[in-house]
Amino acid sequence: MHHFTERSERIPVNVIRELFKLMADPDIISLGGGNPAKESFPLEEVRQITDYLLCVHGADILQYGVTPGYLPLRQAYLEHLARPKGVQAEVANTIIFTGSTQGISLTLELFCNEGDTVLVENPTFLGTLNVMYKMGLRVVPVETDAQGICIDDLEEKVRRERPRLLYTIPTFQNPTGRTIPAERRQRIAELAAKYDFIVLEDDPYGDVRLAGEPVPPIKSFDTAGNVVMMNSFSKIISPGLRVGVGVAEADIAAKLEALKQGADTHTALLPQAICAEFLDRGLLPAHLQRIAAIYRERLDAMLAAMAKHFPADCRYTVPEGGLFLWVELAGDIDATRLLERAVAEEKVAFVPGAPFCVHAEDGRSCMRLNFSNSGPKQITTAIERLGRLLQSETK
Amino acid sequence: MHHFTERSERIPVNVIRELFKLMADPDIISLGGGNPAKESFPLEEVRQITDYLLCVHGADILQYGVTPGYLPLRQAYLEHLARPKGVQAEVANTIIFTGSTQGISLTLELFCNEGDTVLVENPTFLGTLNVMYKMGLRVVPVETDAQGICIDDLEEKVRRERPRLLYTIPTFQNPTGRTIPAERRQRIAELAAKYDFIVLEDDPYGDVRLAGEPVPPIKSFDTAGNVVMMNSFSKIISPGLRVGVGVAEADIAAKLEALKQGADTHTALLPQAICAEFLDRGLLPAHLQRIAAIYRERLDAMLAAMAKHFPADCRYTVPEGGLFLWVELAGDIDATRLLERAVAEEKVAFVPGAPFCVHAEDGRSCMRLNFSNSGPKQITTAIERLGRLLQSETK
């Protein structure tokens, strides 16, 4: 038996990663997980770009790179993604991460000591919760409604709890699919300035919009330099490439660079160069439309099937983008127990709500459904099966 | 002004990464840094393999992967690299990291709390020292001689300091180029079992052998399961790919997986698949010979020029592989000050010894020279210039 540090013993089992094992059974339709549609990957473009890059810049790409990231990617990101959204930033404000997971983890490491208080949306992404638990942070959930974070509750908790940081996924939130409107975003930035806390704005889904108009990032309202924004190429090009980007004040970016140096020296260059070239060739806008068309069809299939097969007293979100929607089951159904039945009896998987909530009971009767990773027919079948199960539970 | 955590303020400036900036001046010959020769990269093989992988497994490679790593790489690593060296391990004992930097960092996080004592070779790799400093560890150096760690001093310090962990680079050590012989390796494994501490065996250079016979890893002598071995593809295929591998008891590997999940979810798949395919095609042995031929010529050029141009009372190591050798200057020369003169007057860079030592004065009159990253003529010129400078200092 080995003796491990307390922090490493505090990490809960990651329900979603465990679900990967279920998905190995080809008969199970998984609405768990958060994989993008593999049909949406720009495979031919990536193949051509990669061959070009290795032919023209091969030796440089195979060599060590610099810690804050491949310069053409930082520039392309600013030009094609950050500045068009109203984020005023320069190269010194950017840092490339090995997925935004790394950026989130290092930002928490930069600002939070064990025992510090941080605020999160209730519910929120369980991967980030797990990092916070590992670090021994005091995690306080903020109330949310159909428009995301409730500003009054946020201000009350900020005054009472004096948090170091608020973690938020403002657009097509994981797990709810909800989007915070512009006015609330501005208020969040103002509160961060007034009460001197950091806003960690995690935005991996914002460009996967299926309907409605884009909303400016919280970072675009940041006058005090308190917002650290994380973007990712996982949902818009490929998650297997593991490329994310952070935008922050230059002093924060420099400190994140120092932390990243010890974390993995730098992010793999070939994936960074692929993303840069993809942006610089102007391929992203058409590709995002292609993704949106695929996801639109899948989300519509899910919503249509839910209207038809779910009990009438189920409530669920109708997101304008992203990969997920959130279901609140009627009555006192335990979604974790329901998952066991769903897998065993109906061969359908989803993620139960509890692990997304600091207080597990808040998510007890909820489930997160993913609509990106199965075709419309599979989704229809899965929802029909889930509906049958739910009808049998509520009888 | 932002308030950062104490740990993030404890990271010293990384001298080597700062040296990258010097290298931007094309007139400066840098014997600093630790880049492999770009002429040694298997560019054409990587290009062909990458195209093949994207054609045949494209969608899977662009999708999310599992946290412990791409299965074909873990299998290929065991078959082609670990088991031939006498390391008895199964897939459950392996975990792929985003460079061994990540593996080292997470292993320290797994075993060491702030204030814990760890042992290191004196001198040792400064990148790892910086991670230890960040974590607030008590770092105690162990004496070394021409055969690396002195076992008597190790045992004395183990008894006195009760360390959690010993960090060692047993083969072609960074910065000295020294190799610990088999008998001492066995003693290290025995002491780890007897006194219950972890040995973190960092072996990125072992396959870059230019002369002599391979020495079995410390891990091959590990009967108590206390050795965690880190390997890397950075020096044998490409550092830009950022792929490393850890080998450990299954309970340790599982905990490292949990930590890695929050650190970056998984290592980029395309780089992992490239390394796997490179191994499975049987390309490594011939490629290692090609690297060795290039480095042999460069090391020989360096040694010949040092014999000719360095003051007779300089002492230096004559490594049988790796990328570095270590010079102990005669008299009381401050190598950090010397570096300033070397860059300004002679346009030559190296890494001064101080940052490799817990007690900076131990490395005050030392320097690390890299022989992998410049051609033989450049090396000869650089050593001639350095020799001139040293002669002027000792006059």
Side-chain angles (χ1 to χ4, degrees):
Chain A
M1 274 300 297
H2 297 97
H3 308 284
F4 302 122
T5 48
E6 197 184 327
R7 78 173 81 86
S8 63
E9 301 284 12
R10 282 190 293 238
I11 308 172
V13 171
N14 185 324
V15 184
I16 294 182
R17 304 298 289 179
E18 292 302 307
L19 271 173
F20 270 72
K21 294 171 190 168
L22 286 183
M23 287 192 271
D25 178 346
D27 290 339
I28 289 181
I29 305 175
S30 177
L31 307 178
N35 285 12
K38 69 177 179 184
E39 297 81 5
S40 78
F41 295 141
L43 191 47
E44 185 51 31
E45 291 92 330
V46 168
R47 209 182 63 75
Q48 283 181 25
I49 284 172
T50 305
D51 196 57
Y52 162 80
L53 289 167
L54 288 173
C55 284
V56 176
H57 305 290
D60 290 337
I61 283 171
L62 295 184
Q63 189 55 282
Y64 277 112
V66 294
T67 303
Y70 186 65
L71 189 59
L73 178 58
R74 299 163 81 193
Q75 290 167 333
Y77 165 76
L78 287 172
E79 182 185 339
H80 298 281
L81 285 164
R83 289 186 190 136
K85 294 174 190 164
V87 174
Q88 303 303 322
E90 305 297 325
V91 164
N93 302 114
T94 64
I95 172 166
I96 306 297
F97 292 109
T98 305
S100 51
T101 299
Q102 181 182 58
I104 291 163
S105 182
L106 297 185
T107 302
L108 291 171
E109 200 178 340
L110 180 57
F111 289 108
C112 304
N113 288 305
E114 186 171 335
D116 279 353
T117 298
V118 292
L119 303 182
V120 298
E121 290 154 343
N122 187 28
T124 190
F125 174 48
L126 64 86
T128 300
L129 281 180
N130 284 354
V131 174
M132 292 171 167
Y133 296 150
K134 179 201 80 173
M135 293 177 68
L137 305 183
R138 221 180 120 252
V139 188
V140 176
V142 179
E143 283 174 28
T144 59
D145 61 19
Q147 302 200 316
I149 292 177
C150 298
I151 299 298
D152 288 348
D153 191 57
L154 174 63
E155 181 155 15
E156 190 195 315
K157 283 186 175 141
V158 165
R159 292 167 73 124
R160 195 175 69 205
E161 307 284 352
R162 294 282 156 184
R164 285 293 292 135
L165 182 145
L166 163 70
Y167 172 74
T168 171
I169 307 166
T171 310
F172 315 138
Q173 199 237 13
N174 182 355
T176 64
R178 289 177 184 140
T179 296
I180 304 177
E183 314 79 65
R184 287 197 185 184
R185 293 178 186 224
Q186 183 164 2
R187 289 287 293 134
I188 292 170
E190 286 165 4
L191 289 173
K194 181 173 175 188
Y195 295 102
D196 193 24
F197 61 89
I198 295 293
V199 176
L200 175 48
E201 178 180 26
D202 183 13
D203 187 17
Y205 311 112
D207 293 303
V208 185
R209 178 170 280 283
L210 315 181
E213 291 304 313
V215 186
I218 302 173
K219 182 69 186 162
S220 71
F221 299 107
D222 178 28
T223 52
N226 282 10
V227 181
V228 178
M229 181 172 72
M230 289 296 156
N231 284 166
S232 168
F233 292 94
S234 289
K235 274 73 185 184
I236 60 177
I237 299 181
S238 147
L241 293 177
R242 308 306 307 129
V243 182
V245 197
V247 182
E249 290 291 286
D251 64 330
I252 296 175
K255 282 284 175 194
L256 288 171
E257 176 187 337
L259 287 170
K260 182 172 167 63
Q261 210 164 83
D264 67 358
T265 313
H266 68 82
T267 293
L269 283 179
L270 184 57
Q272 290 191 69
I274 290 170
C275 293
E277 189 69 17
F278 195 87
L279 295 181
D280 283 335
R281 290 189 182 187
L283 297 172
L284 190 66
H287 181 59
L288 291 178
Q289 288 185 4
R290 200 164 64 195
I291 297 175
I294 296 171
Y295 289 11
R296 177 81 263 170
E297 188 188 10
R298 294 175 179 199
L299 174 59
D300 287 347
M302 184 172 280
L303 293 170
M306 287 168 76
K308 194 167 169 190
H309 300 290
F310 271 25
D313 48 5
C314 268
R315 291 166 50 195
Y316 46 84
T317 57
V318 179
E320 294 196 318
L323 286 71
F324 308 109
L325 60 77
W326 182 249
V327 181
E328 294 176 38
L329 302 171
D332 190 37
I333 296 176
D334 178 344
T336 304
R337 198 184 47 74
L338 186 74
L339 173 62
E340 289 171 29
R341 280 194 64 197
V343 169
E345 299 171 27
E346 299 286 355
K347 301 241 175 217
V348 175
F350 56 84
V351 188
F356 298 101
C357 298
V358 176
H359 308 298
E361 63 273 25
D362 289 351
R364 184 173 186 275
S365 298
C366 300
M367 53 189 191
R368 189 193 75 177
L369 301 184
N370 166 275
F371 54 82
S372 62
N373 195 36
S374 309
K377 281 190 190 165
Q378 278 186 304
I379 286 175
T380 305
T381 305
I383 294 294
E384 192 182 332
R385 293 181 190 171
L386 260 185
R388 185 164 55 209
L389 199 65
L390 287 172
Q391 301 286 3
S392 82
E393 288 270 333
T394 47
K395 260 171 202 159
Chain B
M1 273 301 299
H2 297 98
H3 307 284
F4 302 123
T5 48
E6 197 185 327
R7 77 173 83 85
S8 64
E9 301 284 13
R10 283 190 292 239
I11 309 171
V13 171
N14 185 324
V15 184
I16 293 182
R17 303 299 290 181
E18 293 301 309
L19 271 172
F20 271 72
K21 294 171 190 169
L22 286 183
M23 287 193 271
D25 178 346
D27 291 339
I28 289 180
I29 304 175
S30 178
L31 306 179
N35 285 13
K38 70 177 177 183
E39 297 81 4
S40 78
F41 295 140
L43 191 47
E44 185 51 30
E45 291 92 330
V46 168
R47 208 181 63 74
Q48 284 180 24
I49 285 172
T50 305
D51 195 57
Y52 162 81
L53 289 168
L54 288 173
C55 284
V56 177
H57 305 290
D60 290 336
I61 283 172
L62 295 185
Q63 190 54 282
Y64 277 112
V66 294
T67 303
Y70 186 66
L71 188 59
L73 178 58
R74 298 162 81 193
Q75 290 167 332
Y77 164 77
L78 287 172
E79 182 186 340
H80 297 281
L81 284 163
R83 289 184 191 137
K85 294 174 188 163
V87 174
Q88 303 303 323
E90 303 299 325
V91 164
N93 302 115
T94 64
I95 172 166
I96 306 297
F97 293 108
T98 305
S100 50
T101 299
Q102 182 182 58
I104 291 163
S105 182
L106 296 185
T107 303
L108 291 171
E109 200 178 340
L110 181 57
F111 290 108
C112 304
N113 288 305
E114 186 171 337
D116 278 354
T117 298
V118 292
L119 304 182
V120 298
E121 292 155 341
N122 187 27
T124 190
F125 173 46
L126 62 87
T128 300
L129 281 181
N130 285 354
V131 174
M132 292 171 168
Y133 296 151
K134 179 201 81 173
M135 293 177 68
L137 305 183
R138 219 178 122 253
V139 188
V140 176
V142 179
E143 282 175 29
T144 59
D145 61 19
Q147 301 200 318
I149 292 176
C150 298
I151 300 298
D152 289 348
D153 190 57
L154 174 63
E155 181 155 15
E156 190 195 314
K157 284 188 174 141
V158 165
R159 294 167 72 122
R160 196 176 68 203
E161 308 284 353
R162 293 283 156 183
R164 285 294 291 135
L165 180 145
L166 163 70
Y167 173 74
T168 170
I169 308 165
T171 310
F172 316 137
Q173 198 238 14
N174 182 357
T176 64
R178 288 175 184 142
T179 296
I180 303 176
E183 313 79 64
R184 285 197 187 184
R185 294 179 185 222
Q186 183 163 5
R187 289 287 293 134
I188 291 169
E190 286 165 5
L191 289 173
K194 181 173 175 189
Y195 295 101
D196 193 25
F197 61 90
I198 295 292
V199 176
L200 175 48
E201 177 180 28
D202 183 14
D203 187 18
Y205 311 112
D207 293 303
V208 185
R209 178 170 281 282
L210 315 181
E213 291 304 313
V215 186
I218 301 173
K219 183 70 185 160
S220 70
F221 299 107
D222 178 28
T223 52
N226 281 10
V227 181
V228 178
M229 180 171 74
M230 290 295 156
N231 284 166
S232 169
F233 292 93
S234 290
K235 273 73 185 186
I236 61 177
I237 299 181
S238 146
L241 293 177
R242 311 304 307 129
V243 182
V245 197
V247 182
E249 290 292 286
D251 64 330
I252 296 174
K255 281 285 175 195
L256 288 171
E257 177 187 336
L259 287 170
K260 182 172 167 65
Q261 210 165 82
D264 67 358
T265 312
H266 67 82
T267 293
L269 283 179
L270 184 57
Q272 291 191 68
I274 291 170
C275 292
E277 188 69 17
F278 195 87
L279 295 181
D280 283 334
R281 291 189 181 187
L283 298 172
L284 190 65
H287 181 59
L288 290 178
Q289 289 186 3
R290 200 164 64 195
I291 297 175
I294 295 171
Y295 289 10
R296 177 80 263 168
E297 189 188 9
R298 294 175 181 201
L299 174 59
D300 286 348
M302 184 172 279
L303 293 170
M306 286 168 76
K308 196 167 167 190
H309 300 291
F310 271 25
D313 48 5
C314 269
R315 292 166 50 195
Y316 47 84
T317 57
V318 179
E320 292 196 319
L323 286 72
F324 308 109
L325 60 77
W326 182 249
V327 182
E328 294 176 36
L329 303 171
D332 190 36
I333 295 175
D334 177 345
T336 304
R337 199 184 48 74
L338 186 75
L339 174 61
E340 290 172 27
R341 281 195 64 197
V343 169
E345 298 172 27
E346 299 286 355
K347 302 241 173 217
V348 175
F350 55 85
V351 188
F356 297 101
C357 297
V358 176
H359 309 298
E361 63 273 24
D362 289 351
R364 183 173 187 275
S365 298
C366 299
M367 51 189 191
R368 188 194 75 177
L369 301 184
N370 165 274
F371 54 83
S372 63
N373 195 36
S374 310
K377 281 188 190 165
Q378 277 186 305
I379 286 175
T380 304
T381 304
I383 294 295
E384 193 181 331
R385 292 180 190 173
L386 260 186
R388 186 163 57 208
L389 199 65
L390 288 171
Q391 300 287 1
S392 81
E393 287 270 334
T394 47
K395 260 172 203 158

